Amino acid sequence: MTDETVQTMTGAEALVSTLADHGVKACFANPGTSEMHLVTALDHEPRIKSVLCLFEGVATGAADGHARVTGDPAMTLLHLGAGYLNGGANIHNARRAWTPMINVIGDHAVPHQRYDAPLTSDITGMAGPNSNWIKSADKVSTAGELAAEAWEASFGPVPGPVSLVLPADTAWLEGGRPGKARTRPSLRKPDDARIDAAAKAVKSASKPVIIINGTALTEAGLAQAARVKAAGVRVLTDTFFPRQARGAGRFIPDRMQYFAEGAMSDLGGADLMLIAGTQVPVAFFAYPGKPSLLLPEGCTPMVLGGPETDSAALLEALADALGVKKEVTDVAPLETPGMPSGDLNAMTVGASISRHMPEGAFVSDDGVSNGLPSFLMTQRARPHDWMMLTGGAIGQGMPLALGASLAAPDRKTLCISGDGAGMYTNQALWSMARESANVVNVIFVNHSYRILNIELARTGAGNPGPVAQDLLGLGHPEIDWVKLSEAQGVPAVNATNAEEFDTALERAFAADGPQLIAAHVPAR
Amino acid sequence: MTDETVQTMTGAEALVSTLADHGVKACFANPGTSEMHLVTALDHEPRIKSVLCLFEGVATGAADGHARVTGDPAMTLLHLGAGYLNGGANIHNARRAWTPMINVIGDHAVPHQRYDAPLTSDITGMAGPNSNWIKSADKVSTAGELAAEAWEASFGPVPGPVSLVLPADTAWLEGGRPGKARTRPSLRKPDDARIDAAAKAVKSASKPVIIINGTALTEAGLAQAARVKAAGVRVLTDTFFPRQARGAGRFIPDRMQYFAEGAMSDLGGADLMLIAGTQVPVAFFAYPGKPSLLLPEGCTPMVLGGPETDSAALLEALADALGVKKEVTDVAPLETPGMPSGDLNAMTVGASISRHMPEGAFVSDDGVSNGLPSFLMTQRARPHDWMMLTGGAIGQGMPLALGASLAAPDRKTLCISGDGAGMYTNQALWSMARESANVVNVIFVNHSYRILNIELARTGAGNPGPVAQDLLGLGHPEIDWVKLSEAQGVPAVNATNAEEFDTALERAFAADGPQLIAAHVPAR
């Protein structure tokens, strides 16, 4: 690039082109006045696909989904502190999924910031807690360099969201310079001494288990997990994980149970808990008189490596140290159920999904209390990848599916979502329609925050009176998901029994572009 | 209350009953597992009406609207840091409206917090910047007392949102005690010396103006503003304000223009700018080469009192000091336009609103580029109150209307919203339907972020190419607002010409419960 070119580059152009130079391919955006020069820069950057989202929570969830599919960070474009807040819950979820993500947050021009205009807010204060890295490009000469730094920082040591604040004057002024090329940081490799110690501990344990997440859940990682299991170690994944390769030809690990009492009973007797690519498991919520740490009495935890580690490599090294042969035979056969019939419920939905989900599909699971049967019934379905809500902030399902689908447009993405979860970010449907995203949305319509009815009982908060029932119920009025979907350009149908759903799902997978099925399942 | 009763009170009950003791009458909620005991406490508290919102941004916007009508803070119930983030943009708006608001944010049980469970986040870090006051009730014995402190802190000195974090174990443990009764803080009274100095300055100024907000915009405050005008001082309100009494019988102040260049030209020649109940006006955004502070050359600013002040009392004292008689005759006559005809646009919509809006209505204005004509054309309509988006984070209109309507159920609330703004928090429609709220929603459907097309030109960001056009346009697909509304239980109609709209609006005001009119107006 000649000096002349550099002279005519705005800060916005320096930022955008630097991210494109580093392989960023998508920007999920909801711009405002302070981001107009970023919009213009994106207009001139053919390497980045810009996708308008009608709510920032859709943008951040989509960036997460895009990155889970590609492994590279996507960019978001958010309008000052208020735009950040709107996108914040799905940034929280992305942080919990260790997803690299570059949130570009527009701000007032630097000289304007001191006047406390209506949209002024403490962006770094609010965005800091969920940012692996956060800086403001207060001088145009720094915009490109900070973009490169942000990209690098999104990889960690533990990958996650970063925040790059771009004041409007930095965006509009000329004098931007591309940031110098960075190399992509790698996940940490196994520590030999720790692997040897773990292998010894396994040999002397009576009931060893290993909890895995991260690269251990890729197809290659799971092959190594199968070898570890062959040495007598029970393999469990975290309850929630960013992505797991599943279905025919892949090893089937167990999965940590969600409820603490179930998990503790399931782990009962374990005397060694190895950890690979995650942390010692913790109950999702605390309950009166129940444990927080999901570590049975007398069980020794041993961390081989946290989320900053290449856990697939950890498993391979451990299997080698345990002397397990390289060949893996413990993989799922292809096995799909027959056509379900009768009542529609989480089980029959799961059966249809297992029957019809095409090879190579991505699943975005925000199914809350109805997701588990679909998960279990697809263990031996055609090969696919399953993506979970990792941070517990519901409303991620459809945005994540949008982003995943745009990253893999030739494959099918299935979104399963509770109706309560789906309402949070229903605007994702519009972006799916606009982009002709190949997403099949299955909404479990039970007119209830059903999980909360379960939790109300478990927390011992007492029998729900009318006010409590009202606070947990989505009836009165019942939401018409078909209309809600069609209103935003996504064809939709109702399904009220197993046969109807099975037919609708088969058709939806065969169709081009987004589809929605409102699956009417019982509330109890 | 006997000791025995105190012994059996949970922390959640102490918090909720203390707020009820202090006059809190509504809780806008989206609870999760960590808030189950708060739900139970609300179930047992008949003095607080609990309203479920399907997205936290609806809850916080509704709490703002409720407080703008009643003058008392409403309560929200938010689910940990993620719930706070979802509600954050409308909390930002409430902070900019100086609205008292008590956000109760559930958190993990204190002993669970150290384990970094999936929903753990730095709540005080994220919520701090938009909180006038923030504390966490980490011991059950403090829950009631902190609730009383939160209530008091919501009144200021400058009123605004406060955040009370409630860990789940504080909520569920017994040993809660009601907080001791606090008295409601008052706004600051006028400073005599400053009033005298201002009166002197007015007498020697050639073109004095006064910028007003706060209590100056009540009916009584505006009567005092009319007296100040009678002394030769031009009276302008801020561009955006929490609430203004308007229509027949009320004084009509001027309003600061939105665009900086327009405002500066309008204020040209002013040599004294008094400020009552607000701050020296600032441009909403910065633009290359344009001023931030809206203070003409040679104009002296003089702050009589900021938002912590009773600006109605300031005006009265100033009018007295200027020797103006007490009688006020400069008020609007009742004057409504005839039936509009022909094309539907912001002007003809405004005419119909002026014709049909009933006495005592509240207006929630999130109309963005289409709101101004309705504002201007209702200056002489039946008496009503107008509420603005003060913080610039669009998506406040329908939630604010929901809360206002529930605070004044026997009056009509009109929400005017852009289609882009309305999509942000469309879930408000469902709560309106559930609560049979008397809200008439008018959505300006132009399939465009029209304001951004204007701003793109003003910022000099260049001619929009196809990507930029896509990032500012809401067409492809067009949103069907009638279906979106009906999907959530709110009856809706399309209006495509002035006559259709006029008839639809008349019917909507006559109907019970929420209504929606999709007003198809041109994009340019």
Side-chain angles (χ1 to χ4, degrees):
Chain A
M1 187 167 287
T2 67
D3 270 5
E4 198 183 333
T5 323
V6 171
Q7 289 299 320
T8 60
M9 189 178 244
T10 65
E13 287 164 347
L15 182 152
V16 167
S17 66
T18 299
L19 292 182
D21 289 346
H22 284 81
V24 171
K25 292 195 169 48
C27 175
F28 298 93
N30 190 288
T33 298
S34 39
E35 290 77 52
M36 287 299 107
H37 288 79
L38 274 165
V39 166
T40 304
L42 287 163
D43 199 39
H44 300 157
E45 180 50 80
R47 293 172 293 174
I48 295 182
K49 177 179 177 63
S50 294
V51 178
L52 176 60
C53 301
L54 299 187
F55 177 71
E56 291 86 347
V58 177
T60 54
D64 186 354
H66 199 276
R68 290 198 205 182
V69 167
T70 63
D72 291 312
M75 168 187 172
T76 69
L77 197 169
L78 309 173
H79 184 46
L80 297 100
Y84 177 84
L85 289 168
N86 279 332
N90 275 335
I91 294 173
H92 163 89
N93 285 328
R95 179 170 71 87
R96 293 292 181 185
W98 311 307
T99 301
M101 177 187 295
I102 302 168
N103 295 302
V104 177
I105 309 168
D107 196 0
H108 284 308
V110 173
H112 197 63
Q113 291 174 12
R114 77 190 67 149
Y115 295 109
D116 199 33
L119 270 164
T120 306
S121 62
D122 176 5
I123 298 177
T124 46
M126 296 188 299
N130 276 328
S131 301
N132 267 12
W133 174 103
I134 181 166
K135 287 192 184 175
S136 181
D138 290 349
K139 290 181 183 165
V140 63
S141 58
T142 64
E145 193 56 24
L146 287 179
E149 198 177 313
W151 177 85
E152 189 178 20
S154 74
F155 292 106
V158 177
V162 298
S163 298
L164 177 51
V165 180
L166 190 71
D169 54 341
T170 298
W172 78 50
L173 288 171
E174 300 204 339
R177 294 180 159 276
K180 69 167 189 284
R182 311 280 173 130
T183 52
R184 182 177 171 143
S186 302
L187 292 171
R188 196 167 293 169
K189 291 293 163 195
D191 177 87
D192 290 345
R194 246 195 263 188
I195 295 292
D196 288 345
K200 263 188 211 127
V202 165
K203 283 172 189 161
S204 61
S206 68
K207 205 171 170 188
V209 302
I210 186 166
I211 315 293
I212 62 172
N213 204 334
T215 54
L217 304 192
T218 59
E219 183 167 17
L222 286 170
Q224 301 307 321
R227 293 178 63 213
V228 171
K229 187 186 175 199
V233 182
R234 182 178 175 205
V235 178
L236 297 100
T237 71
D238 275 333
T239 313
F240 301 106
F241 43 76
R243 178 174 167 185
Q244 183 194 336
R246 304 177 78 239
R250 278 94 181 248
F251 169 68
I252 305 176
D254 291 338
R255 180 180 165 199
M256 281 285 291
Q257 295 195 21
Y258 174 73
F259 291 123
E261 59 274 27
M264 290 299 268
S265 142
D266 182 46
L267 292 171
D271 57 347
L272 174 68
M273 181 184 284
L274 302 177
I275 305 292
T278 181
Q279 62 179 15
V280 177
V282 173
F284 210 84
F285 289 106
Y287 304 90
K290 290 184 181 142
S292 285
L293 220 48
L294 302 181
L295 194 65
E297 282 274 324
C299 183
T300 307
M302 198 169 194
V303 179
L304 300 184
E308 76 290 351
T309 327
D310 182 350
S311 53
L314 282 179
L315 293 181
E316 183 173 15
L318 179 63
D320 289 350
L322 288 167
V324 185
K325 67 178 170 62
K326 293 278 183 190
E327 291 69 40
V328 174
T329 53
D330 182 6
V331 297
L334 178 65
E335 197 180 295
T336 57
M339 175 150 170
S341 65
D343 291 344
L344 190 63
N345 54 46
M347 296 295 293
T348 54
V349 165
S352 290
I353 289 175
S354 183
R355 281 159 53 78
H356 296 302
M357 187 164 59
E359 183 166 345
F362 284 96
V363 180
S364 170
D365 178 359
D366 200 358
V368 198
S369 66
N370 279 298
L372 185 59
S374 289
F375 181 81
L376 294 174
M377 296 182 76
T378 48
Q379 289 192 125
R380 296 171 183 81
R382 293 170 200 87
H384 63 277
D385 282 82
W386 198 281
M387 303 183 296
M388 290 274 185
L389 172 66
T390 49
I394 58 170
Q396 186 204 48
M398 294 198 290
L400 196 82
L402 166 69
S405 173
L406 297 182
D410 299 335
R411 295 162 71 168
K412 289 286 177 184
T413 298
L414 170 70
C415 173
I416 60 177
S417 177
D419 49 1
M423 278 305 288
Y424 267 69
T425 47
N426 67 72
Q427 306 92 337
L429 290 165
W430 182 84
S431 294
M432 288 180 192
R434 169 174 267 213
E435 301 295 336
S436 303
N438 281 316
V439 179
V440 174
N441 298 283
V442 172
I443 309 294
F444 290 104
V445 180
N446 58 15
H447 306 298
S448 170
Y449 287 122
R450 180 168 168 254
I451 185 71
L452 295 185
N453 281 294
I454 300 168
E455 295 282 24
L456 189 72
R458 292 185 68 241
T459 57
N463 287 327
V467 173
Q469 276 172 6
D470 255 15
L471 284 174
L472 308 184
L474 302 179
H476 324 294
E478 296 190 346
I479 294 159
D480 184 334
W481 275 91
V482 170
K483 276 191 173 172
L484 190 76
S485 184
E486 288 176 351
Q488 300 188 56
V490 174
V493 292
N494 284 308
T496 55
N497 63 45
E499 291 85 348
E500 266 179 25
F501 181 82
D502 196 79
T503 306
L505 188 67
E506 186 174 17
R507 282 189 189 147
F509 276 126
D512 283 331
Q515 307 287 325
L516 183 141
I517 306 170
H520 294 264
V521 295
R524 274 159 218 285
Chain B
M1 186 165 291
T2 65
D3 270 6
E4 198 185 336
T5 322
V6 170
Q7 289 300 322
T8 59
M9 190 178 242
T10 64
E13 286 164 347
L15 182 153
V16 166
S17 66
T18 299
L19 292 181
D21 290 345
H22 284 80
V24 171
K25 291 195 170 48
C27 175
F28 298 94
N30 190 287
T33 298
S34 39
E35 291 76 53
M36 287 298 106
H37 287 79
L38 275 165
V39 166
T40 304
L42 288 164
D43 199 39
H44 299 159
E45 180 49 79
R47 293 172 293 175
I48 296 182
K49 177 179 175 64
S50 294
V51 179
L52 177 61
C53 301
L54 300 188
F55 177 69
E56 291 87 348
V58 176
T60 55
D64 187 354
H66 199 276
R68 289 198 205 182
V69 168
T70 63
D72 292 311
M75 168 188 174
T76 69
L77 197 170
L78 309 173
H79 184 45
L80 297 102
Y84 176 84
L85 291 167
N86 279 332
N90 275 335
I91 295 173
H92 164 89
N93 286 328
R95 180 170 72 87
R96 292 293 181 185
W98 311 308
T99 301
M101 178 187 295
I102 302 168
N103 295 302
V104 177
I105 310 167
D107 195 1
H108 284 308
V110 174
H112 197 64
Q113 291 174 12
R114 77 191 66 150
Y115 294 109
D116 199 33
L119 270 163
T120 305
S121 61
D122 177 4
I123 297 176
T124 47
M126 297 188 299
N130 275 328
S131 301
N132 267 12
W133 174 102
I134 182 167
K135 286 193 184 175
S136 181
D138 290 348
K139 289 182 183 164
V140 64
S141 57
T142 65
E145 194 55 25
L146 288 179
E149 198 178 314
W151 178 84
E152 188 177 21
S154 74
F155 291 106
V158 178
V162 298
S163 299
L164 176 52
V165 179
L166 189 71
D169 53 341
T170 298
W172 76 53
L173 287 172
E174 301 205 337
R177 296 180 157 275
K180 68 169 189 284
R182 312 279 174 130
T183 52
R184 183 177 169 142
S186 302
L187 291 171
R188 195 168 292 168
K189 291 293 162 195
D191 176 87
D192 290 344
R194 247 195 262 188
I195 295 292
D196 288 346
K200 265 187 209 129
V202 165
K203 284 172 189 161
S204 61
S206 67
K207 205 171 170 186
V209 302
I210 184 166
I211 315 293
I212 62 173
N213 204 334
T215 54
L217 303 191
T218 60
E219 183 166 17
L222 287 169
Q224 302 306 322
R227 293 178 63 213
V228 171
K229 189 187 174 196
V233 182
R234 183 179 175 205
V235 178
L236 297 101
T237 71
D238 276 332
T239 313
F240 300 106
F241 42 76
R243 178 174 167 183
Q244 183 194 336
R246 304 177 80 239
R250 279 92 182 250
F251 169 68
I252 304 177
D254 291 339
R255 179 179 165 200
M256 281 286 289
Q257 295 195 22
Y258 174 74
F259 291 122
E261 59 273 29
M264 290 300 267
S265 142
D266 183 47
L267 293 171
D271 56 348
L272 174 68
M273 182 183 285
L274 303 177
I275 304 292
T278 181
Q279 62 179 16
V280 177
V282 173
F284 210 84
F285 289 106
Y287 303 91
K290 291 184 181 142
S292 284
L293 219 49
L294 302 182
L295 193 65
E297 282 274 324
C299 182
T300 307
M302 198 170 193
V303 178
L304 301 184
E308 75 291 350
T309 327
D310 181 351
S311 53
L314 282 179
L315 294 181
E316 183 173 16
L318 180 62
D320 290 348
L322 289 168
V324 186
K325 68 177 168 63
K326 293 280 184 189
E327 290 69 41
V328 174
T329 52
D330 183 5
V331 297
L334 180 64
E335 198 180 294
T336 56
M339 174 147 170
S341 65
D343 289 345
L344 189 63
N345 54 45
M347 296 295 292
T348 53
V349 165
S352 292
I353 288 175
S354 184
R355 281 159 53 78
H356 297 301
M357 188 165 58
E359 183 166 344
F362 284 95
V363 180
S364 169
D365 179 359
D366 200 0
V368 197
S369 67
N370 279 299
L372 185 59
S374 290
F375 180 81
L376 295 174
M377 296 183 77
T378 48
Q379 289 191 123
R380 297 171 182 81
R382 295 171 198 86
H384 63 278
D385 282 82
W386 198 281
M387 303 184 295
M388 289 275 186
L389 173 67
T390 50
I394 59 171
Q396 186 204 48
M398 294 199 288
L400 196 81
L402 166 68
S405 174
L406 296 183
D410 298 335
R411 294 162 71 169
K412 288 286 178 185
T413 299
L414 171 70
C415 172
I416 60 177
S417 177
D419 50 0
M423 278 305 288
Y424 267 68
T425 46
N426 67 71
Q427 306 91 337
L429 291 166
W430 182 84
S431 294
M432 289 181 192
R434 168 175 269 214
E435 301 294 336
S436 303
N438 280 318
V439 179
V440 174
N441 298 283
V442 172
I443 309 293
F444 291 103
V445 180
N446 59 14
H447 306 298
S448 171
Y449 287 122
R450 179 167 168 255
I451 185 71
L452 294 185
N453 281 293
I454 300 168
E455 296 282 23
L456 188 72
R458 293 184 68 241
T459 56
N463 288 324
V467 172
Q469 278 172 6
D470 255 15
L471 283 175
L472 308 185
L474 302 179
H476 323 294
E478 297 189 346
I479 294 159
D480 184 333
W481 274 91
V482 170
K483 275 191 174 173
L484 190 76
S485 184
E486 290 176 349
Q488 300 187 54
V490 174
V493 293
N494 283 307
T496 56
N497 64 46
E499 292 86 348
E500 266 179 23
F501 181 81
D502 196 78
T503 306
L505 188 66
E506 186 173 18
R507 283 190 189 149
F509 276 126
D512 283 331
Q515 307 286 324
L516 184 140
I517 306 170
H520 294 264
V521 295
R524 273 159 217 285

